[in-house]
Amino acid sequence: MENSGMVVDTGIFIEYLRKQDKSRTILASLPNDASLFVSAVTVYELMMGATDIQKKRDVEILLEGIPVLPFSEEVSFKAAEIYHNLRRRNLLIEFRDIFIGATAITFQLPIKTLNRDHFQRIESLDLV
């Protein structure tokens, strides 16, 4: 299924949540008409880092209206394929990054990330 838009990686949201001047963040610089998506794994990572009620609410507000792409059986098969490919090439990355990359590939979407070094190792993943 061909989609237009992009998957936004966790680091983009973390940068936005941490910076005082929100206008100077990558998230704020994305076009207003961009179709943004987030992986269920990113939701997990953000909520894991939300250490109090206010931070949890900030994450919920930030993600409001952004469709969450599921970690499905198809995504898990793609993640395993990516893992074996990276392991064979001695280029392993953090497993959650593999899951997010597999989500983007499965839904045929490019990814916007601050972590280009890791994500560019995943073959057939397009980076914005």
Side-chain angles (χ1 to χ4, degrees), residues 71-86 95 97-103 105-106:
F71 188 79
S72 63
E73 182 179 26
E74 185 180 1
V75 173
S76 65
F77 286 155
K78 177 54 74 175
E81 179 184 311
I82 291 167
Y83 168 82
H84 290 298
N85 178 282
L86 292 172
F95 74 92
D97 289 344
I98 292 174
F99 292 170
I100 293 167
T103 302
I105 291 169
T106 299

Side-chain angles (χ1 to χ4, degrees), residues 92-126:
L92 272 179
I93 59 175
E94 216 279 329
F95 74 92
R96 289 172 294 195
D97 289 344
I98 292 174
F99 292 170
I100 293 167
T103 302
I105 291 169
T106 299
F107 286 90
Q108 299 178 1
L109 291 164
I111 190 165
K112 182 72 172 175
T113 183
L114 295 173
N115 193 358
R116 294 183 73 82
D117 179 53
H118 280 184
F119 283 99
Q120 70 187 4
R121 299 178 195 184
I122 300 175
E123 294 175 351
S124 75
L125 177 62
D126 294 323

Side-chain angles (χ1 to χ4, degrees), residues 6-74:
M6 68 184 81
V7 173
V8 180
D9 183 36
T10 312
I12 303 281
F13 291 110
I14 291 172
E15 177 207 37
Y16 185 85
L17 289 166
R18 287 185 178 163
K19 277 200 174 176
Q20 288 295 99
D21 185 357
K22 306 294 187 203
S23 67
R24 299 181 62 95
T25 63
I26 291 175
L27 190 61
S29 73
L30 296 175
N32 287 339
D33 62 348
S35 295
L36 305 181
F37 298 87
V38 64
S39 164
V41 176
T42 291
V43 175
Y44 162 75
E45 288 182 309
L46 291 171
M47 294 309 283
M48 187 177 66
T51 55
D52 61 43
I53 292 170
Q54 183 56 51
K55 289 179 181 171
K56 180 181 179 208
R57 186 70 191 125
D58 290 346
V59 169
E60 290 170 350
I61 291 168
L62 182 60
L63 295 177
E64 210 167 83
I66 300 175
V68 177
L69 303 174
F71 188 79
S72 63
E73 182 179 26
E74 185 180 1

